[in-house]
């Protein structure tokens, strides 16, 4: 049960949403699908008096143009899976969305923006969005600003949003030649312990982005070492400076499995290129 009296707001403009977030800045939360937020409020882990629902702001669309792909922050996993053009251009997003556990309910209402803003180290989407070199469009009291995905995730469960700001959309301006994804987890239904996104850019540069192994995703240029297994594993290991511990696994275990996850993501990418 949520124990506070809640005031629900559904602003009809971006400016009104930012005004609300600014006016109640210590005491307000944005509602995405609510799959993280509402259970946390029920368990008293989070307490606010105001909820702002961005439903009326048109943030649930996907726009594909010559300039790249723009994805509204309220787009759900299910919408990704049902969007043929998006899954053709960015199969990684469908691959990741498909693998999110929690069944249809979570896929139907969980949003990409909610996953990003919650900034949980073990979530799938943060690492994938960094792996796609996406840029995050943020709206605040003075209008729009953009941050690179690598700067959005500042530490575990903390993002770069300032008071009055909300996540508007993700822009993916360059489309990778090919991608691969792998995650390591205890069982089919459990959360990831380590995720690896492999991306090939302009047919040449190979990058691996690790998720879950540190507080924030870490992107590594592996172009020169991709064909040398020992150097590849060493490059992955060297990138992990402060491994992340939680109830699912200690940091030492995450460090140990990271190179294996990266290797499998790279193998998947290569199968797609072949
Ligand atoms: C049973 C279950 C299994 C799951 N399994 C996985 C899994 O395997 N892998 C995985 O990665 N995730 C998993 N998840 C997590 C799921 O991905 C997230 O719960 C979901 O993506 C969060 O989206 P939401 O829209 O529900 O966020 P919400 O709960 O609505 O919001 C989360 C946080 O982000 C903030 N927020 C939301 N949208 C915005 C915005 N536009 N601007 C600013 N702040 C915003 C909210 O205020 C809140 O603090 C699972 C969840 C459940 C319940």
């Amino acid at each position: 049960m949520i124990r506070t009296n809640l005031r629900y707001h559904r602003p009809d403009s971006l400016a009104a949403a930012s005004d609300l977030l600014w006016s109640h800045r210590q005491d307000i939360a944005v509602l995405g699908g609510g799959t993280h937020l509402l259970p946390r409020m029920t368990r008293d882990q989070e307490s606010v008096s105001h909820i702002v629902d961005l439903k009326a702001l048109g943030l649930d669309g996907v726009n594909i143009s010559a300039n790249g792909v723009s994805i509204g922050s309220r787009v759900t996993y299910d919408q990704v899976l049902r969007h043929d053009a998006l899954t053709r251009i960015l199969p990684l997003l469908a691959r990741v969305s498909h693998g999110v556990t929690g069944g249809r309910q979570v896929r139907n209402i969980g949003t990409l923006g909610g996953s990003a803003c919650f900034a949980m180290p073990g979530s799938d989407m943060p690492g994938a969005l960094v792996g796609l070199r996406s840029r995050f469009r943020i709206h605040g009291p003075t209008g729009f600003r953009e941050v690179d995905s690598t700067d959005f995730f500042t530490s575990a469960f903390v993002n770069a949003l300032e008071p009055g700001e909300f996540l508007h959309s993700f822009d993916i301006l360059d489309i990778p030649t090919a991608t691969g994804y792998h995650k390591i987890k205890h069982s089919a239904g459990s959360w990831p312990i380590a995720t690896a996104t492999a991306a090939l850019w302009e047919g040449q540069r190979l990058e691996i982005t690790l998720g879950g192994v540190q507080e924030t995703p870490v992107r590594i240029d592996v172009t020169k070492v991709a064909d040398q297994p020992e150097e590849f594993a060493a490059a992955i290991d060297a990138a992990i400076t402060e491994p992340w511990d939680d109830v699912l696994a200690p940091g030492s275990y995450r460090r140990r499995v990271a190179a294996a996850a990266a290797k499998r993501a790279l193998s998947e990418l290569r199968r797609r290129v072949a």
Side-chain angles (χ1 to χ4, degrees), residues 1-23:
M1 192 175 82
I2 295 175
R3 292 168 187 80
T4 49
N5 279 329
L6 273 182
R7 179 107 195 261
Y8 173 87
H9 305 266
R10 192 150 94 179
D12 55 10
S13 72
L14 300 174
S18 285
D19 281 351
L20 270 169
L21 286 165
W22 174 256
S23 315

Side-chain angles (χ1 to χ4, degrees), residues 205-223:
R205 183 181 162 103
L206 266 172
E207 290 175 351
I208 295 286
T209 302
L210 300 174
V213 301
Q214 300 212 129
E215 291 199 16
T216 58
V218 51
R219 197 162 63 206
I220 311 147
D221 177 0
V222 294
T223 315

Side-chain angles (χ1 to χ4, degrees), residues 30 32-37 73 77 101 111 114-115 117 123-124 161 167 191:
V30 174
T35 58
H36 274 312
L37 182 64
S73 63
Y77 299 113
T101 59
T111 64
S115 178
C117 291
S123 289
D124 288 273
L161 292 176
L167 180 61
W191 285 72

Side-chain angles (χ1 to χ4, degrees), residues 12 15 23 27 40 56 151 156 160 167 200:
D12 55 10
S23 315
D27 197 20
R40 285 176 59 75
D151 299 323
L167 180 61
L200 176 65

Side-chain angles (χ1 to χ4, degrees), residues 50-235:
H50 299 266
I51 287 279
V52 57
D53 188 343
L54 307 180
K55 201 179 267 173
L57 304 184
L59 307 183
D60 51 3
V62 173
N63 184 29
I64 301 175
S65 72
N67 297 327
V69 177
S70 178
I71 302 170
S73 63
R74 287 187 45 82
V75 165
T76 63
Y77 299 113
D78 185 61
Q79 280 175 280
V80 170
L81 290 167
R82 286 189 288 110
H83 200 298
D84 290 344
L86 181 64
T87 58
R88 208 170 36 250
I89 294 171
L90 292 170
L92 177 75
L93 285 181
R95 172 93 168 76
V96 172
S97 298
H98 183 73
V100 166
T101 59
R104 237 184 243 173
Q105 285 169 315
V106 170
R107 284 201 294 274
N108 280 348
I109 59 171
T111 64
L112 272 50
S115 178
C117 291
F118 196 57
M120 178 170 165
S123 289
D124 288 273
M125 219 23 103
L129 290 167
V130 170
L132 287 172
R133 297 181 177 175
S134 54
R135 295 189 60 75
F136 287 22
R137 240 176 144 219
I138 291 170
H139 191 276
T142 56
F144 281 107
R145 73 178 174 109
E146 272 194 16
V147 299
D148 193 272
S149 47
T150 47
D151 299 323
F152 184 79
F153 301 103
T154 52
S155 58
F157 303 102
V158 183
N159 62 47
L161 292 176
E162 299 284 351
E165 291 186 332
F166 61 88
L167 180 61
H168 179 275
S169 49
F170 312 100
D171 289 337
I172 299 165
L173 305 178
D174 300 320
I175 307 301
T177 315
T179 50
Y181 189 70
H182 190 82
K183 59 177 163 179
I184 290 181
K185 47 188 190 168
H186 288 311
S187 65
S190 70
W191 285 72
I193 288 170
T195 71
T197 299
L200 176 65
W201 300 97
E202 289 160 0
Q204 290 178 344
R205 183 181 162 103
L206 266 172
E207 290 175 351
I208 295 286
T209 302
L210 300 174
V213 301
Q214 300 212 129
E215 291 199 16
T216 58
V218 51
R219 197 162 63 206
I220 311 147
D221 177 0
V222 294
T223 315
K224 291 192 177 134
V225 293
D227 293 320
Q228 298 150 29
E230 282 178 19
E231 282 87 341
F232 178 77

